[in-house]
């Protein structure tokens, strides 16, 4: 079994890291390639073990910029989100769920979305941005269903049966919540 790659937090988080922690993992098995991905609230950058600290800093900056560019292409704005909700309502509810507004919000840290049926407003947590489309669609369908049935009773859940990826999306979101509760291992600087 190969040894764990070296792990180290970067000393100077690059400008595009935002509030996310950056973890660099060095591997002697990695020769030339550098890659990066999001893992919960942190960004993991994989680099060859032989890289200097200066090369590491440069590559971390490059990879964070690359990730940010990819994510910005995938993240719809409020207008696109409203159009998406309209399409999902037509597809799964025959167009009966008609929100007056659909928008991203940054003040929902304990829930994925919310709906105020009396106002017809739907709000999705910014934490969903960058998640797979089927997960965002599930949360939108869930909130659209609240425009038709306010509570979480049997009638509400029957409405959600129309969306074929409900269980998969719920499992994904449960996994995200569970991962956030896991204790993070301290950085290991040995190979």
């Amino acid at each position: 079994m190969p040894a764990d790659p070296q792990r180290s937090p970067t000393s100077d988080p690059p400008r595009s890291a935002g509030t996310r922690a950056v973890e660099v993992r060095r591997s002697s098995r990695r020769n030339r390639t550098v890659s990066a991905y999001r893992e919960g609230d942190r960004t993991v950058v994989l680099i060859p073990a032989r890289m200097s600290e200066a090369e590491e800093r440069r590559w971390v900056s490059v990879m964070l910029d690359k990730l940010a560019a990819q994510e910005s292409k995938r993240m719809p704005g409020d207008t696109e989100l409203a159009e998406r909700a309209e399409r999902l309502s037509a597809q799964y509810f025959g167009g009966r769920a008609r929100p007056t507004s659909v928008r991203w919000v940054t003040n929902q840290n304990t829930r994925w979305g919310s709906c105020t049926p009396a106002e017809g407003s739907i709000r999705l947590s910014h934490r969903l941005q960058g998640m797979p489309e089927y997960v965002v669609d599930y949360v939108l369908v869930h909130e659209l269903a609240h425009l038709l049935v306010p509570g979480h009773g049997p009638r509400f859940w029957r409405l959600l049966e129309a969306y074929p990826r409900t269980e998969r999306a719920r499992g994904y979101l449960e996994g995200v919540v569970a991962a956030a509760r896991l204790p993070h291992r301290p950085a290991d600087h040995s190979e």
Side-chain angles (χ1 to χ4, degrees), residues 51-122:
M51 266 192 190
S52 69
E53 286 187 30
E55 288 175 307
E56 174 184 317
R57 281 191 299 275
R58 184 178 74 78
W59 275 107
V60 166
S61 180
V62 165
M63 296 312 289
L64 288 172
D65 289 345
K66 208 177 233 190
L67 279 176
Q70 289 171 350
E71 289 168 349
S72 69
K73 289 178 188 172
R74 287 194 305 236
M75 292 183 210
D78 290 349
T79 302
E80 293 86 3
L81 198 60
E83 291 168 357
R84 195 168 176 177
E86 188 177 325
R87 283 192 308 274
L88 291 168
S89 174
Q91 185 174 357
Y92 297 108
F93 305 125
R96 294 178 299 139
R98 294 187 201 109
T100 56
S101 70
V102 182
R103 61 191 174 94
W104 295 107
V105 294
T106 58
N107 64 350
Q108 289 188 3
N109 294 313
T110 59
R111 53 177 56 185
W112 299 112
S114 62
C115 174
T116 307
E119 297 173 6
S121 63
I122 292 175

Side-chain angles (χ1 to χ4, degrees), residues 109-139:
N109 294 313
T110 59
R111 53 177 56 185
W112 299 112
S114 62
C115 174
T116 307
E119 297 173 6
S121 63
I122 292 175
R123 294 158 307 280
L124 295 190
S125 172
H126 71 286
R127 297 177 305 139
L128 289 165
Q129 293 177 325
M131 287 190 187
E133 284 187 17
Y134 76 91
V135 174
V136 177
D137 285 351
Y138 162 72
V139 176

Side-chain angles (χ1 to χ4, degrees), residues 173-189:
L173 293 171
E174 287 170 7
V176 169
V177 170
R181 291 183 182 145
L182 292 174
H184 294 290
R185 288 181 18 194
D188 180 13
H189 298 288

Side-chain angles (χ1 to χ4, degrees), residues 33-48:
T33 61
V34 176
S35 62
Y37 60 91
R38 303 288 191 202
E39 187 176 78
D41 285 340
R42 69 181 156 185
T43 302
V44 177
V45 180
L46 307 170
I47 65 172

Side-chain angles (χ1 to χ4, degrees), residues 122-176:
I122 292 175
R123 294 158 307 280
L124 295 190
S125 172
H126 71 286
R127 297 177 305 139
L128 289 165
Q129 293 177 325
M131 287 190 187
E133 284 187 17
Y134 76 91
V135 174
V136 177
D137 285 351
Y138 162 72
V139 176
L140 269 174
V141 168
H142 182 108
E143 301 310 331
L144 286 166
H146 280 308
L147 292 174
L148 304 173
V149 179
H152 286 109
R155 196 167 142 241
F156 173 83
W157 293 110
R158 276 195 300 277
L159 276 176
L160 277 187
E161 288 174 2
Y163 184 66
R165 298 178 102 177
T166 292
E167 288 307 311
R168 184 174 182 192
R170 286 176 57 117
Y172 184 98
L173 293 171
E174 287 170 7
V176 169

